[in-house]
Amino acid sequence: MTNIISTKDLTKFYGKSLGIEKVNLEVQEGEIFGFIGPNGAGKSTTIRTLLGLLKPTSGSATIFDKDIAKHGPEIREEIGYLPSEVFYYDNMRVIDLLRYSASFYKHKPRKAIEDRMYTLAKLLDLDLKKKIDDLSYGNKKKVGIVQGLQHSPKLIILDEPTGGLDPLMQQTFFELLREENKRGATILFSSHILSEVQKLCDRVAIIKEGRIIKVERMDDLRRNSYAKVRLELGAPINKTWLKHPGISKVEVEANHISFLYKGDINAITKLVADMKLISVWIEEPELEEIFMHYYQTEE
């Protein structure tokens, strides 16, 4: 399988402050690769270094098998990038901004880019005639999506892309990304929201404090992660069943009990079936809790 992105010990320090250290990633052609971590973990630093917006302190990286330091402009011709925060010239109309952006891609037919622009704007319900400063944050994000995709890039890099999009528009956006992937685009999807990554990605890298702590297939991540269980009981709690294998981080407060569980969730439902339940919640744990699991595993 061909690697579209490949990094070797990629490191970036801001003075003495660590951005990322010895990041090793391989993103394969045609996959949707998730890049997850809490805010400040190093996701944006990695992406900006790959794009040539930051100069690495040490290490190296290639995109399309070309060195990012030597072939930056050539590489960026085939990349669509959506940053976490989008900023534009306020006095420009949306259509003028997008046409200006399209002019950077001289190797692609201008008409094809403009046709794609109209198609994407219609799909995202974006008014091309409005001025940028009249747009809401969510609509500015739509401008960024169109700008990043209108030239049909081979590689799409998304850094926290869903901020400002309502749930219905997020679904439209995810469907659009799936279509782009079917077309042949490789996607690097960076987020601190695990559920977003789970919907889309084939594999995922977990980064924390500037270091990659795990790269896994999404199916394996699901199998190996925890469920968060909370119970409200109408009778005193019998704590003996809390010794069941897979239960950890137990918290008891009055008639409420919560814990993390790793294993077949059916085993837990059988355990609580005879209890006097008022309410039960079984949900995805916080991303931080999953990270802590991986740190403990590493240690």
Side-chain angles (χ1 to χ4, degrees):
M1 200 76 172
T2 303
N3 287 330
I4 295 297
I5 298 174
S6 183
T7 72
K8 184 176 181 181
D9 292 340
L10 193 64
T11 298
K12 174 63 183 177
F13 277 84
Y14 300 96
K16 294 183 179 180
S17 298
L18 174 65
I20 54 173
E21 185 173 30
K22 293 186 177 180
V23 167
N24 292 293
L25 284 178
E26 291 184 347
V27 179
Q28 298 172 353
E29 183 178 11
E31 76 173 329
I32 305 180
F33 189 93
F35 195 35
I36 58 175
N39 292 326
K43 303 187 301 297
S44 294
T45 297
T46 303
I47 287 171
R48 290 169 185 163
T49 305
L50 287 172
L51 291 169
L53 302 176
L54 296 173
K55 184 178 180 180
T57 305
S58 62
S60 61
T62 60
I63 297 178
F64 309 127
D65 210 25
K66 298 173 183 177
D67 186 271
I68 59 169
K70 296 177 181 177
H71 303 283
E74 182 182 346
I75 289 169
R76 288 190 289 271
E77 286 271 341
E78 296 292 353
I79 293 177
Y81 169 51
L82 178 62
S84 56
E85 298 289 337
V86 289
F87 301 98
Y88 297 117
Y89 301 110
D90 286 347
N91 289 325
M92 292 184 76
R93 293 186 306 162
V94 173
I95 193 168
D96 296 328
L97 176 92
L98 293 174
R99 282 173 174 164
Y100 174 63
S101 176
S103 69
F104 298 144
Y105 304 100
K106 302 186 184 302
H107 70 301
K108 295 194 175 181
R110 188 67 175 270
K111 185 178 186 305
I113 296 178
E114 191 152 315
D115 288 346
R116 182 69 174 149
M117 174 188 72
Y118 283 115
T119 299
L120 291 169
K122 183 177 180 180
L123 178 68
L124 298 173
D125 193 25
L126 175 64
D127 188 345
L128 295 172
K129 296 179 181 179
K130 281 195 171 183
K131 283 192 174 183
I132 298 293
D133 54 354
D134 291 334
L135 298 179
S136 66
Y137 175 59
N139 279 316
K140 286 181 181 178
K141 205 55 164 296
K142 293 178 189 178
V143 176
I145 293 170
V146 176
Q147 185 180 26
L149 301 183
Q150 65 180 350
H151 59 293
S152 301
K154 293 180 181 177
L155 172 63
I156 300 168
I157 297 179
L158 308 164
D159 190 3
E160 304 283 357
T162 61
L165 300 180
D166 64 52
L168 286 177
M169 189 52 63
Q170 285 184 26
Q171 287 303 116
T172 300
F173 177 53
F174 290 152
E175 285 302 316
L176 174 59
L177 291 179
R178 291 186 186 101
E179 288 301 315
E180 289 293 300
N181 183 241
K182 288 178 184 176
R183 174 181 63 77
T186 302
I187 299 173
L188 175 62
F189 189 101
S190 170
S191 179
H192 70 280
I193 303 172
L194 183 61
S195 58
E196 291 185 353
V197 176
Q198 286 179 329
K199 289 176 183 176
L200 287 169
C201 298
D202 309 309
R203 291 191 302 139
V204 61
I206 299 174
I207 186 170
K208 190 171 185 182
E209 297 175 355
R211 299 171 180 88
I212 302 293
I213 58 173
K214 198 76 174 178
V215 178
E216 275 198 312
R217 294 199 60 81
M218 184 53 70
D219 289 343
D220 293 333
L221 181 63
R222 288 192 186 99
R223 281 194 292 268
N224 292 333
S225 60
Y226 291 85
K228 192 171 187 176
V229 181
R230 291 186 295 141
L231 307 173
E232 182 181 3
L233 303 177
I237 295 170
N238 181 354
K239 295 183 180 180
T240 57
W241 63 272
L242 292 174
K243 297 178 182 178
H244 184 82
I247 292 177
S248 62
K249 294 192 176 180
V250 178
E251 295 181 8
V252 178
E253 184 176 344
N255 64 331
H256 290 80
I257 185 166
S258 65
F259 54 89
L260 293 181
Y261 177 69
K262 182 181 179 182
D264 182 358
I265 200 65
N266 290 300
I268 292 299
T269 58
K270 289 177 182 176
L271 281 174
V272 302
D274 296 329
M275 297 181 185
K276 189 175 181 181
L277 286 171
I278 296 174
S279 297
V280 59
W281 297 265
I282 300 175
E283 58 191 358
E284 180 183 274
E286 295 294 322
L287 195 54
E288 185 69 23
E289 292 169 313
I290 293 176
F291 287 157
M292 290 310 299
H293 156 62
Y294 280 101
Y295 269 125
Q296 291 161 5
T297 301
E298 290 292 313
E299 290 167 1

